[in-house]
Structures are given as structure tokens and as C-alpha cells.
Amino acid sequence: MDKLIPPSRRRILAGIATIALSTGGFAVAQADDAVPLRVGVLTDMSSLYADITGPGSVAAAKMAVEDFLAGPHKTKRQVEVVSGDHMNKADLGANIAREWIDRNNVEAIIDVPNSSVALAVRNIVQQTNKVILVSGASSSDLTGKACSPNLVHWSYDTYALSNGTARAVVAGGGKTWYTLTADYAFGHAMEAEVKNVVQKLGGTVVGGVRTPINSQDFSSFLLQAQASKAQIVGLINAGGDTINSIKQSVEFGIPQGGQRVVATVLYLSDVHSLGLKVAQGLQFTESFYWDLSDGTRAWAKRFAPRNNNRYPTAMQAGVYAATLHYLKAVDALGASSDGKAVVQEMKKLPTDDPLFGKGSVRSDGRKLHNMYLFEVKKPEESKYPWDYYKLIQTIPPTEAWRPLEEGGCDFLKS
């Protein structure tokens, strides 16, 4: 039968069918107990976001399940984790979500890096009244004009990232900007947010260019930025695109020529790939860093062996925290089939985990916690493996996140 299925289709089916949780030693369901609760990590396993999410997000979800089952809870219901690769294709992501829900009894879909994919999956989840826990995607539309009573947006969004980074850069004298923007939903949302912040603070975006996702060659775009003479070259991209554009900006001598390259989105794995010699001095806004506290350090040291000894990104930390809070809400509610009811319970319960601390889920689905302005250390400042950041500023939730009344979330009006 396999011979009749194209290799690409076999790969998709394999991703859909993967059940990946070791429950040995923890409470599991007996044959006559309730049917297992199944959650799906829909992520990028093979492309430009695989390092920042991917297998690490699957590992983080499994850790959340294990920690939940090891702690106090009302039921002994088994929890299973499935995983799938959306390959950064919105139609594929939607198809996997539909098949998971219709045929595999998946109750919650988690992570979903790539905002275009997340927006497509959000529609499927709302139609079927399940749950989507977004950690990897960043478009603030997910709690704005595309909000849903079935959605929680955990780690970050374009409003928080642009608000933190652009404010710091403009305050430091970076008044004129030229932007390189990833040409899909995330990039468009972030570009609008950055322009808004820069202009409000008296700066100017003098130009910009849209770049294809997963680009290998940024030379023509960077030459346009260089020719603009803007003080700031703002990179509105993520993952592999950020790594490539930063490396090539150094090769073209852009920082050496006096223009400052600013990454509006930067992850720990990006800095690891770039190396401190290239990445030093970059400032950026982030929601999590493994070396912030005793709790984050202890968790990161548990996580790393499960992720090929790579330390966690904020996206992977968000998967853990969101999954854990979801399981607590299902346990408190005593059921998982009504997605809206579960999300409402998530909003009712205060959040508390070792990675993001105490917080809450707002009525529009926005998870509220501190954001942080970091700067990448110089090579001589790094004292141990993965010691890459220094904290510049803690941004409290009241300053970090878009005010509820400015988001335009429709379901709150009904």
C-alpha cells in the first residue's frame, strides 16, 4: 500500500500518526478509565524555524505532560502527545489540524510557528470547538482582528516585540529606519507595529523592502538598505532568515559603515548559530531566557538533554508553560471536549510556572507576563556555555502588551 502513496504524503501521514510520550513511572489510564487526552504539537520540523521550535517544542510539551502527571491532579487520565510538520504551508497546516481533530481525537493544537499557518489553523479549531495554544507564531492579529474564544497566545507577539525594541533603539538615537520584512502575515504585522512606534517617537521609516520567506540570498535587499543611508537597518524576519541576513550584513560591511543592524526578533538558537563575535551588541526584546532565575536554569538543564543539548528558546518555553496551564484547566473543569469552556477556564485560573512566573490569560486570549530587553554579550563577557545575554530592562505587562481596548477583538463585543 505504501508504494501507492507519494513520499511527501507518507511523510505527512507519519507526522500525523506520531504518538510520542513516555509515561513510565507516572499515573496512566487503565483500560476502563476515560479515553486518553490527546494534544498535537504542530510545528516546523524541517525548515527555517525548526531550531527555535521543532523537535524542541515536542520535547517541551512532553515535559509539561510529565510534570502535570507527576503533580497533584484529580484524574488519572492518560495524556498523549502527537506531532506534525506543517512545512510553513498554511494549507498543509490546516489539513493536518483537520485530520487530527476529525480522525485522531486531538483536543488541543500547540505551538504553530508561522503566523499564516496559525491563522489558518485557528479557523479549523474554532469551527470544531477545540483549542489552539500559540507559542511560535507572533502576529498580534491573533488576539486582535483574528481573535478567537478558542485561542490562547502565549510567548510573545509583534506588538510587544516592536514596542520594546523600537523604543529602545529610537531612545538611543536611531531615528531613521530602513526595513527588511518577511513577506507574510508575521512580517506585515510587525512592520506596521515598528512604523507606528518609530513615528510616535519622532523617528522616520525612510523605506523598506519585502523579502521571500526562507531566503538564502539577501544581497540585493541589503544593498538597498545600505544605499538608503538610514541609521537603522531593521530586520523584520525570524529564524534562518534572521541568521542569513545578519551574516550577510556583516559581509557587506553595513555595521562597519556606521549603520546599525537591529533584529526585531532574535532567538537563543540564532545567537548560537551566529556566534558572539557576529551577534555581539544586538539588542532585542524577548519573553524568556534560560538564565534568568533558579527556576529557568533548573528547567533548561532538564530540557537540554532532550533537545540534542541545545538550550531552550522562548518559543519552546512557551509550549511547556501553555501546555501545563491547559492541562490544569482541563483537570479543574473535568472535561476537554468543549474547547471554549477549557479556554475560559484557562482565563479564570491564574498562571504560575517556573519559566514565566505568575501571570494571567486576558479575556482576548493574550497571556500576560514580563517582557525583557536583552543585549547579546561580547565574547569575553560569556563565562559558560549558552551564556549569551545580559538583561538591559524588564518591561512589565502594563507596558509590554497592547491595551485590550486597542486590539479590536470581535468576540468580546458580543
Side-chain angles (χ1 to χ4, degrees):
M1 181 66 178
D2 280 351
K3 293 180 181 179
L4 302 178
I5 304 174
S8 60
R9 178 62 178 159
R10 288 203 300 270
R11 182 181 182 190
I12 295 166
L13 290 173
I16 293 171
T18 299
I19 297 178
L21 174 66
S22 172
T23 53
F26 297 112
V28 297
Q30 302 301 316
D32 56 349
D33 283 335
V35 295
L37 171 61
R38 189 170 292 174
V39 299
V41 181
L42 183 56
T43 189
D44 178 358
M45 300 289 279
S46 56
S47 188
L48 75 165
Y49 303 136
D51 282 347
I52 61 177
T53 58
S57 288
V58 180
K62 292 181 190 178
M63 287 178 67
V65 172
E66 292 171 6
D67 289 351
F68 170 75
L69 293 175
H73 52 279
K74 297 177 183 177
T75 69
K76 291 186 177 181
R77 187 178 180 186
Q78 184 177 354
V79 183
E80 295 178 346
V81 177
V82 305
S83 63
D85 185 358
H86 60 51
M87 303 181 194
N88 292 294
K89 298 176 181 178
D91 56 346
L92 176 57
N95 288 339
I96 293 174
R98 175 70 72 181
E99 186 154 354
W100 274 357
I101 292 168
D102 290 350
R103 300 186 182 182
N104 298 85
N105 300 314
V106 168
E107 302 278 19
I109 295 177
I110 305 164
D111 196 18
V112 207
N114 187 311
S115 294
S116 297
V117 178
L119 290 164
V121 172
R122 166 247 183 245
N123 295 337
I124 302 299
V125 167
Q126 182 161 311
Q127 291 164 12
T128 54
N129 193 24
K130 299 304 178 183
V131 174
I132 177 171
L133 308 175
V134 178
S135 180
S138 62
S139 173
S140 59
D141 286 348
L142 290 163
T143 53
K145 63 184 181 182
C147 67
S148 167
N150 298 75
L151 181 149
V152 174
H153 198 180
W154 201 274
S155 301
Y156 68 157
D157 65 23
T158 51
Y159 181 95
L161 295 179
S162 59
N163 192 48
T165 304
R167 280 184 178 277
V169 171
V170 174
K175 297 290 188 179
T176 58
W177 289 59
Y178 188 95
T179 57
L180 273 65
T181 301
D183 193 11
Y184 72 104
F186 144 72
H188 302 168
M190 178 71 89
E191 182 182 70
E193 304 276 16
V194 167
K195 284 183 178 179
N196 184 50
V197 173
V198 170
Q199 290 170 357
K200 276 187 176 179
L201 297 176
T204 305
V205 177
V206 300
V209 62
R210 298 277 174 88
T211 64
I213 188 174
N214 208 12
S215 295
Q216 300 302 310
D217 185 3
F218 284 85
S219 57
S220 64
F221 311 125
L222 289 167
L223 286 171
Q224 292 176 60
Q226 195 171 39
S228 75
K229 306 297 183 184
Q231 294 169 300
I232 306 299
V233 177
L235 304 178
I236 304 177
N237 50 24
D241 284 345
T242 302
I243 292 169
N244 287 336
S245 52
I246 290 175
K247 284 181 177 178
Q248 290 169 32
S249 72
V250 173
E251 292 170 3
F252 278 95
I254 290 176
Q256 300 91 317
Q259 290 174 293
R260 182 177 172 189
V261 177
V262 170
T264 55
V265 182
L266 194 69
Y267 303 108
L268 188 72
S269 55
D270 299 340
V271 175
H272 186 73
S273 296
L274 289 165
L276 294 183
K277 186 175 180 181
V278 172
Q280 62 181 311
L282 286 171
Q283 287 190 351
F284 58 97
T285 306
E286 189 59 285
S287 60
F288 166 87
Y289 177 47
W290 76 269
D291 208 6
L292 273 177
S293 68
D294 290 343
T296 58
R297 284 187 283 272
W299 186 84
K301 288 174 183 176
R302 289 174 53 211
F303 171 88
R306 300 167 180 244
N307 191 43
N308 198 27
N309 292 317
R310 297 175 68 88
Y311 274 50
T313 66
M315 308 301 92
Q316 293 156 348
V319 167
Y320 172 87
T323 303
L324 185 63
H325 192 60
Y326 167 79
L327 293 173
K328 290 177 181 177
V330 169
D331 193 51
L333 196 62
S336 61
S337 59
D338 185 342
K340 289 181 182 178
V342 175
V343 169
Q344 191 60 38
E345 190 70 19
M346 292 181 72
K347 295 172 183 177
K348 177 181 172 183
L349 293 175
T351 63
D352 190 5
D353 63 76
L355 308 188
F356 296 86
K358 297 181 184 297
S360 62
V361 180
R362 201 167 62 183
S363 57
D364 60 351
R366 176 66 261 162
K367 167 61 169 58
L368 303 178
H369 47 250
N370 289 336
M371 295 291 287
Y372 305 95
L373 182 68
F374 292 112
E375 182 174 301
V376 178
K377 290 183 173 183
K378 298 175 182 177
E380 61 270 21
E381 294 174 324
S382 179
K383 304 303 181 186
Y384 40 86
W386 299 90
D387 175 25
Y388 295 156
Y389 298 172
K390 53 185 175 184
L391 179 62
I392 303 300
Q393 180 185 353
T394 298
I395 307 170
T398 52
E399 297 177 16
W401 305 104
R402 180 179 59 203
L404 179 64
E405 63 274 13
E406 293 180 12
C409 179
D410 286 339
F411 78 83
L412 296 179
K413 301 173 185 176
S414 58

